[in-house]
Amino acid sequence: MIETFSRQFRCLPDEVRQGAEQLRTRLLEAGLDPVTHQAEIYLGIPISAQVRVAGQVIPAKASALSPQAAVTGPALRLPSRKGVGRLHSGDPAVLFDFGTEPAEAVLARVRGRIVVTDGLSNPARTRLLEDLGALGVIVVNPGDRSHWGTNSLIWGNPDDRTMAELPRITSIAVPHAAGPALLAACAAGAPVTLEAEMLHGWHEQPVLTVDVHPTGGPSADFVLLHSHYDSWEVGVGDNATGNAVLLEVARLLSRNRQHLTRTIRFAWWPGHSAGRYAGSTWYADHFGRALHEHCVAHVNCDSPGCRGATSYASIRGMIEAEPLVAGAIMDLFGQPTELTSPGRAGDYSFCNLGITGCMLTSSMVPEQERHARGWYAVGGCGGDPAWHSEYDTMEIADRAVLANDIRLYALLALRLSARGRLPLDYRRTMARLSPHLAALAGNATSALGQDFGLMKALASVETGLEAYYRSDRDAAAWNRELLALSREIVRLGYAASGIHDQDPARPAGPLPLADGLLEQDAGATPACRTRLLRATQDAVHRLRSIPKAARLKSTVLGDEFI
């Protein structure tokens, strides 16, 4: 599978359809029966890009979902703040280094300029510069190659409310060697020209799924294992290896169905890069009810099996899944693992539905080795800077690491499908949320005169959860109730908007419904107090919904909420 994909581009719509056909052929050869959904998704695909400065033509990469562009204007240097990495914040103080000059004075010069900055593509930065009147953005990447990225804060397909929020200025990336010519243009206030050819529009792209059922037949509840199969050019480490891992795990588990008690659904998404997770979001839109009621957890498979990626020290996923993930990694490889927040990234398109997820990316080249090689932080390929570039070719894949990751994803699927209680601990989630909910309650009391029952609701859920995990209830009933009560717990940590909406593709705080309301001056103005009131009431409602959703007896989660 990997060798086939290493010779096939999977970015343009026809290329993606050919990739889907290759996957379908391999699945049929493995004795599996794939279902093909024709998903209508919005794509903004870079075709070509360049920068012209002082008679020099610099090859470049446009970020996905940028508009077509041919614009000339004076260049303005605006350095990125060191150490912020790929943080998609909209705060200028976080994104830029203003030196000793007041930020307002620097930002006032943005209008009518092409901004030259550094780092990697950052859609929140583009939005900020667009709002300030910039003509375009040129990003000088850290190394000897440039990287494709994305330019939109819309998660998945835009709707009639958000179509107007697609980027109106183009962001393109150039390699580090282009920096001196661009900096000279900035120093002289000389013009630069930014050009990008883009393919924008709605396209039907295949979403492939395969169900592997227990020996006794389909179960109501299921585990979702998924990966994206569209890529930049051939995209071996991102994500041909992930497609192959899912193919092999599906083949293996279909021959060992006696070990399953829940159906495992495998899914391959288009639109990951060029559509900002449009394929997985399309699936969440069209199968939201089934996912909300029956998906016990989702496991994302992105960039496994990459050369030298032998470290599992830090894995991104939701904290309630740490016993599952850390336990599997320790059992397989003898390595301790810490789960860090997945943030708002990857194909985590199921947060608003309240579904626990793990494994945003996979194993990494050990941190010490990455530092020794002078690598900068990227979003996949085990940390290799071949990520999102034409260098992500066959040599990025490693058979031994791939075998390790196949074992890991197979074991995660098996343990989520095994008999007994689900290996998910939502007490950990509430422990992470609790101080932030308490801060919200404190601000509500300070600014509004009451906490509206928030602290009482929080205490009841925390006490009830502890009792619930200590109870000796039948595993089948325990799992059904756990699934129901988990939804609002997950949503508290990862979603501000409704169950069938998608929050923007920008990072949120630890309590998204209260972003910006946890500081001491959250109620400083009438407008702030209005949002504080609404957020506090929303938090109370969600907490009170937790035991109601599970229909738990009053002896478990408190008589006053039933």
Side-chain angles (χ1 to χ4, degrees), residues 71-135:
V71 59
T72 299
L76 174 69
R77 169 72 169 144
L78 197 51
S80 290
R81 182 174 292 280
K82 302 301 181 188
V84 300
R86 301 175 63 240
L87 182 63
H88 293 175
S89 168
D91 182 354
V94 171
L95 293 173
F96 298 115
D97 183 356
F98 298 108
T100 59
E101 193 172 0
E104 295 78 7
V106 177
L107 296 175
R109 295 198 291 270
V110 166
R111 183 168 299 279
R113 306 281 187 116
I114 293 177
V115 172
V116 178
T117 187
D118 46 272
L120 296 174
S121 174
N122 186 322
R125 179 174 58 202
T126 302
R127 171 64 64 83
L128 171 64
L129 294 173
E130 176 186 302
D131 291 343
L132 291 169
L135 300 177

Side-chain angles (χ1 to χ4, degrees), residues 7 39 52 79 110 171 189 214 413 434 467 483 513 518 557:
R7 299 185 294 270
R52 287 189 280 120
V110 166
S171 173
S434 181
L483 203 61
L513 65 83
L518 303 184
L557 276 182

Side-chain angles (χ1 to χ4, degrees), residues 251-271:
R251 188 189 71 83
L252 289 169
L253 295 187
S254 70
R255 286 156 175 73
N256 291 275
R257 297 171 187 264
Q258 70 275 17
H259 297 296
L260 306 180
T261 58
R262 295 181 188 87
T263 292
I264 301 178
R265 179 165 299 166
F266 297 83
W268 289 263
W269 315 124

Side-chain angles (χ1 to χ4, degrees), residues 453-473:
L454 177 53
M455 291 307 295
K456 182 179 180 182
L458 174 60
S460 182
V461 169
E462 288 181 317
T463 302
L465 269 179
E466 191 60 45
Y468 184 67
Y469 275 87
R470 290 199 309 267
S471 70
D472 58 359
R473 297 173 64 79

Side-chain angles (χ1 to χ4, degrees), residues 509-527:
L511 190 65
L513 65 83
D515 263 359
L517 296 176
L518 303 184
E519 292 75 20
Q520 289 186 344
D521 60 349
T525 67

Side-chain angles (χ1 to χ4, degrees), residues 51 53-54 56 58 75-80 82 114-118 138 140 174-190 192:
V51 171
V53 55
Q56 180 181 356
I58 302 169
L76 174 69
R77 169 72 169 144
L78 197 51
S80 290
K82 302 301 181 188
I114 293 177
V115 172
V116 178
T117 187
D118 46 272
I138 300 172
V140 180
V174 297
H176 192 261
L182 290 167
L183 293 181
C186 292
V192 298

